[in-house]
Amino acid sequence: MSATLHHFEVACVNAEERAQHFCKQFQFHLFAVNFNDVEVPQYACRSGDSVFVFSQRPEDCVISGDTVFDCALEVRNVDGVFKRAVAAGSTEIEAPALLKDENGSIKMAVIGTPVGDIVHTLINSEDYNGVFLPGFTEPTNEMVTSFPKLAQKDITTHIDHITYVVESGMSPKVIKFYQEAFGCDRFKLNLNEDEDTGMPVSFGAVEMRLMAAQYWKCAESGVRLEKPKGSTKKTVTFVLAEAIWGDGEAGRNQIATYLEHHGGPGVQHIALHTDNIIDTVRTMKLSGCTFPVIPVEYYTSVGKADEINRVGECLEDMKKLGVLLDAEGEFSYDDNVHIEERYLMQAFSAPIFQKKTVFMEIITRAGATGFGAGNITALWKAMEVAHKSYKEEHTITPEGPTWSKAYRKSIEQSSPVISSVEPTWSKYRSSIPQVETCIENEP
């Protein structure tokens, strides 16, 4: 069963400000807006093939801060995928329906997942020729100028992968759901990964396990096919991270912190691919994006400088920008690639919303096609540094978060005000005329 990523949707306290802030930091541009419902304005922003839709939160919806809640997928057979997902245990949120405007129609449905508040909107847009989706229009020139960016062209190309944080022991259930609902193909992150329990990663006194599932461009019978000729769309890769709980404060880590702050499983980070990570991270930092400071010990560890020099990257640039490198010699899906040509370069942003939940990854792949142990360990080390530094600024109390004056000031200058309600996702859907429910028979 084939599928591609259509867009992410973010529920926001203040959608316009959040969209402006995101575009400035990560160099996206506003390309479509939907003001059909004045209480739920929507702003669609793009960079390369990556699209994020920022939706205003209605006043009567209760939620704690902004959150990514929808990973929308483009599929050929919305009815068939919907029925298969429901049979696999998915919650029916919106049945398949036709959404129309003067530019054509799309078939759409919405299903729940086992991953907390995450939903998948299923979309077939082959009969639609509008700017984005029914109800969306092009923004005015005045609106576009209110979303400034330094780069004249897009500096990221597509979504490389999405990582979910799940509770301990939950990964096999989620993997099974994606296999049964969407025909996902399970793949190993590392040669040392156990088929049932995933790959353990240790750092200091804490551990976590990671597993992965991936959409391949394949027929619904499960045969793997090459992507359609001329298609620029990439496969959709989901990585699952769960904590192996430790005892006391020594067992705390960013996985446990995410679950606490988010209130359960959800999207931890989204990886944006770029062809030149050094220039991209430099531009993002100049645009106000914050990246955790990487300890110098990372770059001076045994063999790391030689590894960086061997592949021809600049050690000093990487130090200044906080870029990590993992030579992926131990494992690859393509045995024809030479070991010295297989490596990843990564940088991880600070959390982008009001709480310590979602962050962005910037990644460049040089021949590397999998997720090596060094890659995962690099993420672990980088985010543990951020986690420890945040402890000085943010203390969790039974009543909720308490922010230091300095950190509160920085948040107030760059982020919308924190709210405190649980989401009602149906209220975030676009206000679109001529909705016709039409479930078809699965072929």
Side-chain angles (χ1 to χ4, degrees), residues 1-6 72-82 107-109 111 120-126 181-182 215 220:
M1 183 181 299
S2 62
T4 57
L5 183 62
H6 191 274
L73 302 172
E74 177 87 23
V75 298
R76 185 184 64 186
N77 184 351
V78 172
D79 299 292
V81 176
F82 180 82
K107 175 70 74 67
M108 189 192 82
I111 59 170
H120 289 308
T121 297
L122 308 175
I123 298 171
N124 182 332
S125 61
E126 63 184 5
F182 299 102
Y215 264 117
E220 294 187 355

Side-chain angles (χ1 to χ4, degrees), residues 31-94:
F31 76 97
V33 293
N34 181 2
F35 297 146
N36 285 329
D37 185 340
V38 294
E39 293 185 354
V40 191
Q42 295 181 296
Y43 302 82
C45 306
R46 184 194 303 276
S47 178
D49 288 337
S50 308
V51 176
F52 284 75
V53 177
F54 299 88
S55 299
Q56 184 78 26
R57 177 174 302 109
E59 292 182 1
D60 61 340
C61 255
V62 189
I63 193 169
S64 297
D66 299 352
T67 185
V68 178
F69 74 92
D70 189 357
C71 176
L73 302 172
E74 177 87 23
V75 298
R76 185 184 64 186
N77 184 351
V78 172
D79 299 292
V81 176
F82 180 82
K83 290 179 180 179
R84 181 169 173 168
V86 170
S90 177
T91 303
E92 299 183 40
I93 297 178
E94 292 186 16

Side-chain angles (χ1 to χ4, degrees), residues 57-58 60-63 69 421-429:
R57 177 174 302 109
D60 61 340
C61 255
V62 189
I63 193 169
F69 74 92
V421 215
E422 275 316 310
T424 303
W425 300 127
S426 62
K427 295 188 178 182
Y428 296 121
R429 307 317 316 166

Side-chain angles (χ1 to χ4, degrees), residues 66-284:
D66 299 352
T67 185
V68 178
F69 74 92
D70 189 357
C71 176
L73 302 172
E74 177 87 23
V75 298
R76 185 184 64 186
N77 184 351
V78 172
D79 299 292
V81 176
F82 180 82
K83 290 179 180 179
R84 181 169 173 168
V86 170
S90 177
T91 303
E92 299 183 40
I93 297 178
E94 292 186 16
L98 283 178
L99 307 181
K100 299 179 180 180
D101 66 12
E102 64 275 12
N103 296 303
S105 66
I106 68 165
K107 175 70 74 67
M108 189 192 82
V110 185
I111 59 170
T113 74
V115 185
D117 56 7
I118 299 301
V119 304
H120 289 308
T121 297
L122 308 175
I123 298 171
N124 182 332
S125 61
E126 63 184 5
D127 294 326
Y128 190 71
N129 297 312
V131 63
F132 181 49
L133 292 172
F136 281 83
T137 59
E138 292 185 358
T140 64
N141 290 335
E142 183 180 359
M143 291 185 63
V144 172
T145 57
S146 69
F147 285 70
K149 54 181 292 190
L150 287 179
Q152 296 301 309
K153 61 180 182 179
D154 293 342
I155 59 176
T156 56
T157 59
H158 62 273
I159 301 296
D160 185 87
H161 63 272
I162 307 109
T163 294
Y164 292 148
V165 164
V166 298
E167 294 167 337
S168 183
M170 187 177 169
S171 292
K173 176 183 177 181
V174 177
I175 290 288
K176 182 180 179 181
F177 168 78
Y178 277 98
Q179 288 175 325
E180 294 181 354
F182 299 102
C184 283
D185 182 27
R186 167 76 188 280
F187 66 87
K188 291 185 177 182
L189 293 164
N190 180 266
L191 288 176
N192 297 322
E193 179 181 344
D194 182 87
E195 184 70 26
D196 297 321
T197 61
M199 182 181 75
V201 178
S202 299
F203 183 66
V206 291
E207 293 183 300
M208 64 178 176
R209 291 187 183 276
L210 296 109
M211 304 175 76
Q214 180 170 353
Y215 264 117
W216 291 92
K217 292 268 187 188
C218 56
E220 294 187 355
S221 62
V223 179
R224 293 181 184 176
L225 301 175
E226 296 293 331
K227 67 180 181 180
K229 186 176 181 180
S231 174
T232 60
K233 294 290 186 179
K234 306 296 181 179
T235 54
V236 183
T237 304
F238 301 101
V239 177
L240 310 180
E242 67 174 49
I244 304 175
W245 296 89
D247 296 325
E249 185 61 26
R252 302 292 294 168
N253 58 74
Q254 77 266 16
I255 304 299
T257 298
Y258 177 96
L259 291 169
E260 180 178 355
H261 285 237
H262 187 69
V267 171
Q268 183 210 39
H269 77 267
I270 299 168
L272 299 173
H273 178 272
T274 177
D275 294 326
N276 187 327
I277 193 169
I278 298 298
D279 288 349
T280 295
V281 172
R282 182 182 289 117
T283 299
M284 289 179 177

Side-chain angles (χ1 to χ4, degrees), residues 205-413:
V206 291
E207 293 183 300
M208 64 178 176
R209 291 187 183 276
L210 296 109
M211 304 175 76
Q214 180 170 353
Y215 264 117
W216 291 92
K217 292 268 187 188
C218 56
E220 294 187 355
S221 62
V223 179
R224 293 181 184 176
L225 301 175
E226 296 293 331
K227 67 180 181 180
K229 186 176 181 180
S231 174
T232 60
K233 294 290 186 179
K234 306 296 181 179
T235 54
V236 183
T237 304
F238 301 101
V239 177
L240 310 180
E242 67 174 49
I244 304 175
W245 296 89
D247 296 325
E249 185 61 26
R252 302 292 294 168
N253 58 74
Q254 77 266 16
I255 304 299
T257 298
Y258 177 96
L259 291 169
E260 180 178 355
H261 285 237
H262 187 69
V267 171
Q268 183 210 39
H269 77 267
I270 299 168
L272 299 173
H273 178 272
T274 177
D275 294 326
N276 187 327
I277 193 169
I278 298 298
D279 288 349
T280 295
V281 172
R282 182 182 289 117
T283 299
M284 289 179 177
K285 286 174 74 73
L286 288 173
S287 300
C289 188
T290 301
F291 292 85
V293 176
I294 305 301
V296 68
E297 289 78 11
Y298 170 82
Y299 302 98
T300 58
S301 60
V302 176
K304 180 55 67 177
D306 290 340
E307 185 178 73
I308 293 171
N309 291 329
R310 188 175 71 247
V311 298
E313 299 294 343
C314 178
L315 178 60
E316 291 307 312
D317 282 346
M318 292 177 63
K319 283 183 181 180
K320 291 177 182 177
L321 298 171
V323 174
L324 310 171
L325 183 144
D326 172 38
E328 200 178 56
E330 64 173 69
F331 185 70
S332 174
Y333 292 105
D334 186 353
D335 293 332
N336 295 321
V337 180
H338 297 298
I339 289 178
E340 62 269 20
E341 295 176 345
R342 291 204 306 266
Y343 65 95
L344 309 175
M345 297 178 70
Q346 303 162 286
F348 305 97
S349 79
I352 62 175
F353 298 149
Q354 296 93 332
K355 291 191 173 185
K356 292 189 291 184
T357 54
V358 181
F359 61 92
M360 303 297 290
E361 174 182 349
I362 312 303
I363 183 169
T364 290
R365 292 184 177 272
T369 55
F371 293 83
N375 173 29
I376 301 301
T377 303
L379 182 154
W380 182 255
K381 290 180 178 179
M383 295 315 297
E384 280 302 302
V385 170
H387 173 64
K388 290 177 181 178
S389 66
Y390 267 78
K391 284 183 180 180
E392 300 175 359
E393 300 290 352
H394 182 192
T395 304
I396 296 296
T397 68
E399 294 77 26
T402 301
W403 305 88
S404 73
K405 292 182 179 179
Y407 194 69
R408 183 191 296 275
K409 183 176 181 181
S410 68
I411 289 294
E412 289 174 348
Q413 291 175 343

